[in-house]
Amino acid sequence: MAEEISTEALKQKLIAELPAAHVEISDTSVNRCGAAFEAIIVSDTFEGKSLLARHRLVNKILEKELASIHAFSQKTYTTEQFAAQSEKQ
């Protein structure tokens, strides 16, 4: 049986390995069973990288976990982009 993946485990791995300044992870699967997640990831590591390069970087870090996840949606921002996005709301 596959090990259940938690939002906190995903968050801590991204903070440690990216490193990320801010991470929000939501379990969007039915019954919150850990099969589908949405993520907002803020890191200055993304500076100068295309959206595809950012997503590939995150996917590489979470490679083991993604093998057990049915769906993973991510929004990736630099610190500056996230601040600008937050001001609009």
Side-chain angles (χ1 to χ4, degrees):
M1 185 172 166
E3 183 179 326
E4 186 174 322
I5 298 167
S6 72
T7 56
E8 189 61 26
L10 293 172
K11 179 179 178 176
Q12 292 307 317
K13 189 165 187 179
L14 288 167
I15 288 170
E17 294 188 29
L18 200 44
H22 177 81
V23 178
E24 294 176 32
I25 307 277
S26 300
D27 185 343
T28 59
S29 53
V30 177
N31 300 324
R32 305 295 181 246
C33 64
F37 295 92
E38 288 183 355
I40 296 173
I41 307 159
V42 182
S43 175
D44 286 332
T45 304
F46 298 141
E47 190 70 46
K49 290 183 172 40
S50 69
L51 181 62
L52 182 58
R54 294 174 183 198
H55 286 203
R56 284 181 175 162
L57 178 60
V58 170
N59 291 348
K60 183 67 176 165
I61 291 169
L62 299 178
E63 185 173 18
K64 180 182 170 195
E65 293 79 3
L66 291 177
S68 302
I69 294 173
H70 175 71
F72 184 75
S73 171
Q74 57 182 296
K75 293 182 181 176
T76 53
Y77 303 99
T78 63
T79 305
E80 186 178 318
Q81 289 171 329
F82 188 68
Q85 181 77 11
S86 297
E87 287 176 8
K88 288 181 185 177
Q89 297 177 0

